Every structure is written in structure tokens, then in C-alpha cells.
Amino acid sequence: QLQLQESGPGLVKPSETLSLTCTVSGGSISSSSYYWGWIRQPPGKGLEWIGSIYYSGSTYYNPSLKSRVTISVDTSKNQFSLKLSSVTAADTAVYYCARHGRAVAVFDLWGRGTLVTVSS
Amino acid sequence: SYVLTQPPSVSVAPGQTARITCGGNNIGSKSVHWYQQKPGQAPVLVVYDDSDRPSGIPERFSGSNSGNTATLTISRVEAGDEADYYCQVWDSSSDHHVVFGGGTKLTVL
């Protein structure tokens, strides 16, 4: 059974770079049928898509975050990663990794999420 | 950019029918997906491609999409259906990207 697990620091200082990794287990990240994405949710607020990556390295980013976001993939480790630069308190959120279809962008599998707090 | 509008809250008595709307410009031309999120948990897909259900989702959950409004309908509402619900589309009109609605809190009275 395929599972996703986020990992990374739970506390990041303002102006620094947030870095998270999502490990895919029970299946291959190199499937031709799926993209792998990051979504975040500030406390008490709604879902915000950050971006998605295909195993080949092709990416889509949320235009509102594009200047600060880099998503990469490491197929040898079955992982994909998120880097968000120049963070502020507004970037405090639960960050989820998830899988969505290549043909239809529906998120059918999610990680449990990890809370990242931006604070000095 | 494309915007999806949901009512902040919907209330319904147990056993009744809840309808949660998702408004967007010509949303009927897009595939709409719906997620349920309970407190402290990751979202769960409950309806995809406007009206299809993933395996394991009760038939009480259904969806429709036409014109400028998509609707998630929950029949015979149970206390366990109390959650936040989000609609989502893929916007390919400009910069390709995923769009979520703001979410609707379903309260079971």
C-alpha cells in the first residue's frame, strides 16, 4: 500500500529557507501516471497548492509562490522535496505532500502533514 | 487567476440533505473534485470528476456540476460527516495550476 511521509524541521527562522522532504513507500515515484505535489494549510485556514512535480523533473508552481519555491525529485531515493525561501510568519502552516493524476489533477493520496512554524 | 467560491458554513440536521456549493466562472467546463477534512487529519477525496466516488466512500456522497456552480450533496447526513469540505479544479486557462475553494464547514445540528 503506497504511503507518503513528510519530514523536515518544525521550526524555521524568518528570512531563511524552509526545506521538506516527502518519502514515497510501497510504490515507485517513477510512475508515468502521477504527479507529486505539495499543499499547505495555515492554522485555521484553507488549503493552498504550492506546486507539483513529475518524476522526470517537470514542475508546475502556484503563481503566487513561484518566485520562492523549488520542488525537486530524487527517484533513486523515492523522494521529492520542497524548498521555500525567504519565509515569514505567513508561511507557518501544516505542509502536506500528496499524489495527483497526470491526466486529471485529483489528489487521491495524502501524507499526514507536518507543521512548520516560522519564528525567531 | 481562477477563483472558487464556497460558503463558509452549512448547517443541517441529522438525516437531512446537505448541499455545499462551489462557484466559479464556467466551472461546468472543468472537472471538480471534493475533499473532506476532519480536525487534525489530512484531507480525504470524497468525489472526483464532478460526480464519481472513490472506493470506500458511501453512496450518500454525490456531486454535480453545471454552468457556474458545482455542488456536493450529502444525503442522510450523519454526525460523522461534520467536517470541512473543499472543492478543487485544475486551471489550464492561463498558468497551469491547481485551485482550491476556500472551504465550507459542515455542522451537523
Side-chain angles (χ1 to χ4, degrees), chain A residues 6 10-11 22-23 28-30 32 35 37-38 47 51 56 64 69 71 79 81 87 89 95 98-99 102-103 106 120:
Chain A
E6 305 88 351
L11 181 64
C22 182
T23 300
S28 175
I29 200 171
S30 299
S32 62
Y35 269 79
W38 289 97
L47 302 171
S56 64
S64 69
V69 173
I71 297 176
Q79 296 175 334
S81 298
V87 298
Y95 286 76
R99 179 184 80 173
R102 184 184 181 195
V106 54
S120 55

Side-chain angles (χ1 to χ4, degrees), chain B residues 17-98:
Chain B
T17 297
R19 294 179 179 85
I20 299 172
T21 59
C22 177
N25 184 33
N26 197 25
I27 195 173
S29 67
K30 302 180 184 297
S31 289
V32 180
H33 320 299
W34 291 92
Y35 303 87
Q36 176 193 70
Q37 186 181 34
K38 296 182 179 180
Q41 298 183 19
V44 172
L45 180 68
V46 293
V47 168
Y48 67 97
D49 286 352
D50 299 338
S51 59
D52 291 333
R53 278 185 316 277
S55 60
I57 300 301
E59 292 183 4
R60 301 184 298 104
F61 289 82
S62 62
S64 62
N65 185 18
S66 179
N68 293 319
T69 305
T71 303
L72 173 69
T73 301
I74 309 171
S75 304
R76 302 180 298 284
V77 166
E78 302 173 356
D81 298 330
E82 186 163 289
D84 294 324
Y85 291 84
Y86 295 90
C87 58
Q88 177 248 312
V89 301
W90 173 261
D91 178 27
S92 60
S93 59
S94 55
D95 211 349
H96 298 266
H97 60 276
V98 171

Side-chain angles (χ1 to χ4, degrees), chain A residues 81-94:
Chain A
S81 298
L82 168 70
K83 290 188 185 300
L84 179 66
S85 64
S86 305
V87 298
T88 69
D91 295 309
T92 294
V94 174

Side-chain angles (χ1 to χ4, degrees), chain A residues 47-89:
Chain A
L47 302 171
E48 179 180 36
W49 173 72
I50 300 170
S52 300
I53 191 164
Y54 194 55
Y55 78 93
S56 64
S58 174
T59 54
Y60 293 117
Y61 294 135
N62 185 327
S64 69
L65 297 170
K66 190 173 184 177
S67 63
R68 298 195 292 132
V69 173
T70 302
I71 297 176
S72 58
V73 64
D74 186 337
T75 55
S76 66
K77 295 182 179 179
N78 233 28
Q79 296 175 334
F80 62 105
S81 298
L82 168 70
K83 290 188 185 300
L84 179 66
S85 64
S86 305
V87 298
T88 69

